[in-house]
Amino acid sequence: MSRRLRVLAVAGLLVAGTTATVIATAPSASADTQICDQFGSTTIGGRYVVQNNRWGSSSPQCINVTDTGFSIIQQDGTGNTSGAPVSYPSVFLGCHYSNCSPGSPLPAQISRISSANTSISNSYPSSGTWNASYDIWLNADTNVSGVQDTEIMVWLNHQGGIQPIGSPTGTANIAGRTWEVWTGSNGQNNVVSYRTSGISSLSFNVMDFIRDTLSRGSQYGTANWYLTSIQAGFEPWIGGVGLAVNNFSASVTTGGGPTGGPSTSPTSGGPTGGPGGCSATYSTSNSWPGGFQGDVTVRNTGSSSINGWAVSGTLPGGASISQVWNGSLSGSGSNFTVRNESYNGTIPGGGTTSFGFIGSGSAPGSLSLSCSSS
């Protein structure tokens, strides 16, 4: 649901590009630490921030922070179940209102992220009205001092008569599950929510949700935007004591390499190239009415490094490509060529890299690709 996330501002500079200057704003939790300050925070594991973030209520809220997560131990506020929750206590990797996790790899440009893997284990009480959700933030630039442009919510579980922002607009098959997709705005940013229930633990690639979001319209972002934070926690409306993140982890890899995440069995026209050359293999990792996500693995078929590659093909049935990441697109209509970026052109002998794209039309059952190298 809608939130006005506010964390105490701190001094610091953010370096433009894909690497954030870490702003040391919170002490590290060495043993169980209780936080009752409205926007109080601490760090855990030397890489994540845990925040109380009681933004929607003046009533007390306290969390107990452990070495691997946190739990709500007091929550006295009451939210309107037709409106916003009272808070969003969470643990995160990245930067949130200039509060950056130690050594943060975020913000990072979406087109340069090859994987953003995360894992979580939660516990839930039997009473109250709440959701357990990831909050994934995208922004058109690297400014993390205020409200971000797009919020992606991933509802793992919920209880009581609450619903995401906006209205249901479809479904998505991601991380081995089917999710209801809701789209709307909270008045400050666009929100795309993926809702299911009953999940107490999950591991997934955040990029799968980001790419699905981008496929739903440029108002939600493009591959040139930035991922600024990956947050996981709870939105309580009523009660919430006993909600707990038992374990949380997240990591972001930029540059070439496999994108990870769920995929169907690869379909391909077969490897091409020879000694000293390259091959390209296609798979469809997600599809929806009128569009699909394709992933291509580029392999060096020789024993010596190659320093550049280009993959060409023709999409069947009049399909076309609208967005590409980890590659540079040329061509028109169904005919396309994708060339390496400056950071993933070199592939050692026997090694691989990959790129992905959003296509319009029907997903191909197979795709014949040619690969050339330099």
Side-chain angles (χ1 to χ4, degrees):
M1 298 296 292
S2 174
R3 67 184 55 79
R4 305 295 178 264
L5 294 173
R6 304 189 301 271
V7 175
L8 295 178
V10 294
L13 296 175
L14 183 68
V15 177
T18 61
T19 302
T21 296
V22 176
I23 306 170
T25 63
S28 178
S30 57
D32 284 15
T33 300
Q34 292 188 11
I35 300 177
C36 297
D37 292 344
Q38 184 175 10
F39 302 118
S41 67
T42 188
T43 61
I44 62 172
R47 57 184 285 110
Y48 308 118
V49 172
V50 176
Q51 58 180 355
N52 195 28
N53 199 11
R54 175 174 53 82
W55 62 269
S57 172
S58 59
S59 300
Q61 174 177 285
C62 297
I63 60 175
N64 184 66
V65 183
T66 68
D67 291 337
T68 58
F70 71 93
S71 62
I72 300 177
I73 58 175
Q74 180 180 2
Q75 201 297 100
D76 297 342
T78 300
N80 180 351
T81 56
S82 297
V86 299
S87 63
Y88 183 63
S90 60
V91 55
F92 69 84
L93 176 75
C95 295
H96 175 75
Y97 278 70
S98 298
N99 188 4
C100 292
S101 57
S104 172
L106 303 175
Q109 195 166 38
I110 294 170
S111 64
R112 297 202 62 185
I113 299 174
S114 55
S115 66
N117 295 320
T118 185
S119 180
I120 195 165
S121 172
N122 289 338
S123 295
Y124 308 121
S126 59
S127 61
T129 300
W130 44 263
N131 73 36
S133 57
Y134 271 82
D135 231 352
I136 301 161
W137 291 94
L138 309 181
N139 205 47
D141 56 36
T142 58
N143 187 348
V144 294
S145 63
V147 176
Q148 304 295 277
D149 292 319
T150 291
E151 175 186 11
I152 302 172
M153 292 203 72
V154 181
W155 286 38
L156 305 176
N157 202 6
H158 59 280
Q159 183 166 275
I162 53 176
Q163 65 183 40
I165 289 171
S167 58
T169 53
T171 61
N173 295 313
I174 303 174
R177 290 169 169 81
T178 299
W179 307 77
E180 298 174 351
V181 181
W182 295 59
T183 56
S185 172
N186 62 23
Q188 295 192 39
N189 51 262
N190 289 316
V191 184
V192 179
S193 299
Y194 298 82
R195 185 173 75 162
T196 190
S197 62
I199 296 178
S200 58
S201 62
L202 186 67
S203 298
F204 63 94
N205 186 354
V206 170
M207 293 303 297
D208 291 331
F209 286 97
I210 292 176
R211 289 164 185 159
D212 185 85
T213 293
L214 300 188
S215 75
R216 296 175 184 274
S218 59
Q219 70 269 32
Y220 302 117
T222 71
N224 293 324
W225 282 29
Y226 293 82
L227 169 62
T228 58
S229 67
I230 301 169
Q231 307 181 15
F234 309 102
E235 291 185 320
W237 276 258
I238 302 170
V241 172
L243 289 166
V245 173
N246 302 316
N247 289 281
F248 169 82
S249 67
S251 63
V252 174
T253 301
T254 57
T259 58
S263 64
T264 58
S265 298
T267 54
S268 171
T272 60
C278 61
S279 68
T281 304
Y282 168 82
S283 66
T284 299
S285 59
N286 196 11
S287 63
W288 53 90
F292 63 96
Q293 176 184 324
D295 294 313
V296 176
T297 298
V298 182
R299 180 179 299 276
N300 181 351
T301 57
S303 58
S304 301
S305 294
I306 60 175
N307 296 309
W309 49 264
V311 174
S312 298
T314 300
L315 292 171
S320 61
I321 295 177
S322 58
Q323 293 186 41
V324 171
W325 51 92
N326 292 334
S328 176
L329 174 67
S330 61
S332 60
S334 299
N335 299 310
F336 67 90
T337 297
V338 176
R339 292 178 172 82
N340 62 275
E341 296 282 13
S342 60
Y343 54 82
N344 64 351
T346 300
I347 308 176
T352 64
T353 189
S354 64
F355 67 87
F357 62 87
I358 299 297
S360 61
S362 298
S366 62
L367 187 58
S368 180
L369 300 172
S370 62
C371 184
S372 61
S373 62
S374 59

